[in-house]
Amino acid sequence: MNKYLAQKIAEETNYLFQAEAIEKMLEKPKHDELGDIAFPCFQLAKFLRKAPPIIAAELAEQLINPAFEKINVVGGYINFFLNKSQVMNEIIPVILKQQQNYGQKEQSFENVVIDFSSPNIAKPFSMGHLRSTVIGNALANISEKNGYDAVRVNHLGDWGTQFGKLIVAYRLWGEKGAIEKAPIKELLKLYGKFHEEAENNDALNNDARAAFKALENGDLEENSLWKWFKDASLDEFQSIYELLNIHFDTFEGEAFYNDKMADIITQLKEKELLKLSDGANVVELDNMPPCLITKQDGASLYATRDLAAAFYRQKTYSPKKVLYVVGNEQSLHFQQLFHVLKKMDANWAEHLSHVGFGMILKDGKKMSTRKGHVILLKDVLEEAINTAKGNITEKNPTLLNKDDVAKKVGVGAVIFNDLKNYRSNDIEFSLEQMLHFKGETGPYVQYTFARICSMLEKASLQYHDDVIKITLTDNAWPTVVLLANYPNIISEAFEQMDPSLIAKFALQLAKAFNKFYATTKILAPDDSINSRLALCKSTSIVLQDCLNLLGIEAPEKM
Ligand code: ARG
């Protein structure tokens, strides 16, 4: 609707502004009673040399059209009231026909690479990795909804000097059986012990450096230990991904780039970008610390592997965009990375962006994995599922498949709690709050969806899809307007890389619908029953789609 109106206004004002610019000027009036769309005439005044209220009055005359029920001029504003019947009859049949394809943008056959989750081998899956996992997955889904092919990359932290330490620690104190039983817990213990012992015994650090060097040189024994640590950790991570229902296209992590770094270093040398500094090789950067490329002993670094990864992805996927979904604390790393690429004349680097995010707080403090008190994500998710099960049993004791529903609700609550906030903000983690069936929660949206499903089931005899004309009372209007706006929200969420726009939209839609539900006898056997059920069905389609974009499943009963 906004597009159409903007085009009309552009025409009537002889293209003082292009339609796209006009569309950006359109506003939502402060109160619903003022209208559906407002156009402020102030910017036109400069060009037309007339007072805004006069322009508004004249222009309003020109815009009279069956698409508008009423047009009011208030000061310099033109307020439009959409023709409700026309909009309803345009939108609802489209949703019913397209189902979950409503709002789907045309296929562009371009790739968007999303580097997300990327936990570190032999370390616990942290709350930060949880954020990266759910934000990255939502962005991948949103990219697909916007017509792109998403490439989901798990850039595993499976290389680095810490593996030298682990190998040394394992040889000194490790126990095969214990690691097989609980890999991450045991490896973490070994890593901790290494640091304790190394404080008074520097020789250990030298051994660790030598072991990492051997690993980088491809020595067999070190490599088979490393592979074992990696596979065992990955098994544990997989069980988390299964719980979250998230998959990746590739697990090409840091180690994958071992044989791809020499070429980068050659390029850096050829471009005379490599400088020696205390025996290490660095690239000097403007207005930020230099980027370390190799250490004194020739060992590579995190940044070196990211450089190689950037080139490899460019060659492999020619992506439209590459998103690095990593906490804000790594923003310097990514600034350095992008800056080095620019110095290497990699003009495609402009497609790369760091999609940062804030921390997860518990009672205002960082939920950390440091100093012995490790919060295991798996435990958190299991607790969420258990609590959800309790809530569900209380509400609906006879429900079948309680376990399956509890899993979807518990996990969904954790994901929704994360995604409803703008990603750069820190978020508070309260299982109790996020599992409420009321308020701004995932279960609230899921519950609204399930409620509509059971109503449609009840009505299945009366209800048929081929409604000829939609007739609805005015209390349905806020829901209809939201439904009509969904395609715009999808575009915006992609442009701003912001899944919270989808989550907030889902909350608004659920609220608007519940208000309608509370003030309407939906199943009353009158002429409009099919129109009302069509609105219910359309709402359920869009709510489900929102949840799915966020990576949340929507049970039909709960
Ligand atoms: N493994 C890293 C960490 O846990 C995150 C990797 C992010 N991706 C990247 N290409 N650097 O901090």
Side-chain angles (χ1 to χ4, degrees):
M1 198 58 226
N2 287 22
K3 269 207 172 46
Y4 164 82
L5 180 59
Q7 179 58 36
K8 278 308 264 182
I9 295 177
E11 271 169 33
E12 292 299 335
T13 51
N14 295 320
Y15 292 96
L16 275 176
F17 292 95
Q18 292 302 317
E20 294 80 47
I22 302 264
E23 198 182 335
K24 293 213 169 83
M25 295 178 207
L26 295 174
E27 297 173 3
K28 175 107 192 74
K30 289 204 177 58
H31 302 288
D32 286 347
E33 308 85 70
L34 292 175
D36 299 303
I37 308 173
F39 179 64
C41 296
F42 306 98
Q43 292 205 48
L44 294 177
K46 276 179 249 153
F47 296 92
L48 298 174
R49 299 169 185 282
K50 282 188 208 166
I54 297 178
I55 299 174
E58 289 177 1
L59 189 55
E61 287 287 322
Q62 309 302 316
L63 295 169
I64 293 173
N65 183 294
F68 306 114
E69 231 160 55
K70 199 163 63 170
I71 302 181
N72 281 349
V73 174
V74 183
Y77 285 89
I78 313 178
N79 291 340
F80 300 86
F81 292 79
L82 294 174
N83 181 328
K84 297 190 177 62
S85 169
Q86 186 173 332
V87 174
M88 287 173 189
N89 279 285
E90 265 164 27
I91 294 299
I92 293 176
V94 171
I95 302 176
L96 293 179
K97 180 153 168 269
Q98 299 184 337
Q99 306 261 338
Q100 68 279 17
N101 282 326
Y102 176 58
Q104 173 69 44
K105 305 284 184 289
E106 210 181 301
Q107 214 56 45
S108 73
F109 303 104
E110 286 177 306
N111 289 323
V112 174
V113 171
I114 302 113
D115 172 325
F116 72 110
S117 195
S118 313
N120 300 320
I121 294 300
K123 296 250 181 78
F125 198 103
S126 72
M127 295 308 273
H129 292 119
L130 172 68
R131 289 214 74 184
S132 171
T133 307
V134 304
I135 295 170
N137 184 55
L139 289 175
N141 295 338
I142 291 168
S143 302
E144 286 168 342
K145 189 88 186 177
N146 276 277
Y148 296 98
D149 290 324
V151 184
R152 294 167 163 83
V153 179
N154 195 326
H155 188 78
L156 279 180
D158 57 1
W159 205 251
T161 44
Q162 73 271 26
F163 289 98
K165 297 176 185 171
L166 266 181
I167 289 169
V168 170
Y170 175 72
R171 283 178 175 152
L172 287 172
W173 314 293
E175 242 183 89
K176 192 160 188 246
I179 295 184
E180 277 166 350
K181 242 204 220 133
I184 292 180
K185 194 169 143 237
E186 276 312 306
L187 291 172
L188 196 65
K189 236 201 240 160
L190 284 176
Y191 194 63
K193 186 159 167 87
F194 179 91
H195 280 272
E196 266 166 38
E197 301 282 328
E199 253 173 52
N200 307 315
N201 181 0
D202 201 37
L204 283 176
N205 284 320
N206 288 332
D207 292 349
R209 266 191 292 273
F212 181 57
K213 200 77 195 126
L215 194 59
E216 287 218 299
N217 290 340
D219 290 9
L220 235 52
E221 205 188 305
E222 282 76 6
N223 272 276
S224 78
L225 278 176
W226 165 80
K227 188 161 183 322
W228 176 42
F229 298 157
K230 172 170 164 167
D231 291 345
S233 306
L234 208 50
D235 272 351
E236 269 196 67
F237 296 150
Q238 284 292 8
S239 69
I240 293 175
Y241 294 135
E242 258 163 50
L243 212 52
L244 293 169
N245 198 17
I246 282 174
H247 72 273
F248 293 89
D249 296 301
T250 140
F251 283 86
E252 281 158 359
E254 295 188 37
F256 177 75
Y257 298 100
N258 279 339
D259 60 355
K260 299 173 183 62
M261 285 182 286
D263 181 43
I264 305 297
I265 292 169
T266 311
Q267 274 193 60
L268 285 169
K269 276 187 189 144
E270 276 170 13
K271 294 196 185 294
E272 291 176 7
L273 291 168
L274 225 46
K275 299 265 143 50
L276 216 55
S277 160
D278 288 338
N281 277 306
V282 305
V283 176
E284 279 166 356
L285 302 169
D286 320 327
N287 305 322
M288 58 180 98
C291 182
L292 204 52
I293 304 291
T294 56
K295 290 193 193 172
Q296 281 102 324
D297 60 3
S300 65
L301 288 115
Y302 183 49
T304 329
R305 296 187 278 277
D306 253 332
L307 274 174
F311 277 93
Y312 173 82
R313 290 165 184 173
Q314 176 60 25
K315 196 174 85 207
T316 312
Y317 307 110
S318 326
K320 166 92 182 165
K321 277 178 191 295
V322 180
L323 313 177
Y324 295 87
V325 187
V326 187
N328 286 336
E329 61 275 11
Q330 288 194 29
S331 82
L332 176 62
H333 165 75
F334 287 105
Q335 282 170 28
Q336 290 175 311
L337 176 67
F338 301 159
H339 201 5
V340 174
L341 288 169
K342 203 167 125 202
K343 290 209 154 195
M344 294 174 83
D345 301 318
N347 53 356
W348 43 264
E350 66 192 32
H351 302 310
L352 276 46
S353 42
H354 173 211
V355 178
F357 52 80
M359 291 182 293
I360 298 193
L361 307 176
K362 178 105 186 140
D363 306 321
K365 284 201 242 32
K366 183 176 178 185
M367 247 177 131
S368 83
T369 50
R370 253 181 296 142
K371 293 260 148 78
H373 98 181
V374 183
I375 297 164
L376 290 178
L377 178 65
K378 203 140 186 234
D379 297 344
V380 173
L381 290 175
E382 259 149 32
E383 197 183 330
I385 293 170
N386 277 336
T387 314
K389 192 166 172 194
N391 293 355
I392 292 164
T393 312
E394 201 175 294
K395 236 183 148 65
N396 188 354
T398 58
L399 180 72
L400 301 173
N401 310 326
K402 272 200 202 80
D403 286 325
D404 185 49
V405 175
K407 186 183 145 213
K408 289 174 179 161
V409 174
V411 171
V414 173
I415 298 178
F416 196 89
N417 177 65
D418 192 310
L419 295 181
K420 74 173 180 182
N421 297 286
Y422 178 61
R423 56 183 161 74
S424 262
N425 298 342
D426 294 340
I427 60 171
E428 186 60 40
F429 195 90
S430 154
L431 270 182
E432 198 204 327
Q433 293 263 328
M434 69 178 79
L435 281 157
H436 278 169
F437 279 44
K438 290 210 182 93
E440 314 218 304
T441 66
Y444 170 70
V445 180
Q446 285 171 321
Y447 186 62
T448 306
F449 171 76
R451 178 139 103 183
I452 301 177
C453 288
S454 67
M455 196 160 50
L456 290 170
E457 196 182 24
K458 230 197 260 166
S460 57
L461 288 180
Q462 289 115 300
Y463 174 59
H464 49 90
D465 251 355
D466 50 342
V467 200
I468 312 285
K469 184 160 166 46
I470 305 279
T471 52
L472 287 168
T473 42
D474 281 1
N475 61 346
W477 183 238
T479 305
V480 176
V481 173
L482 284 166
L483 291 175
N485 199 32
Y486 184 50
N488 295 328
I489 300 289
I490 290 169
S491 316
E492 242 178 90
F494 180 73
E495 273 160 31
Q496 300 182 25
M497 291 300 148
D498 182 7
S500 77
L501 293 177
I502 306 277
K504 287 181 186 129
F505 172 86
L507 286 170
Q508 278 181 340
L509 180 59
K511 262 186 224 163
F513 177 82
N514 283 324
K515 226 173 173 176
F516 166 71
Y517 178 87
T519 49
T520 316
K521 286 204 164 62
I522 292 180
L523 297 177
D526 58 23
D527 290 348
S528 292
I529 179 168
N530 264 304
S531 295
R532 289 191 297 272
L533 291 171
L535 179 72
C536 292
K537 178 77 188 163
S538 310
T539 306
S540 74
I541 290 168
V542 173
L543 281 179
Q544 181 175 31
D545 198 52
C546 289
L547 289 171
N548 290 346
L549 285 181
L550 299 176
I552 299 172
E553 291 179 86
E556 291 187 4
K557 289 201 167 73
M558 67 185 264

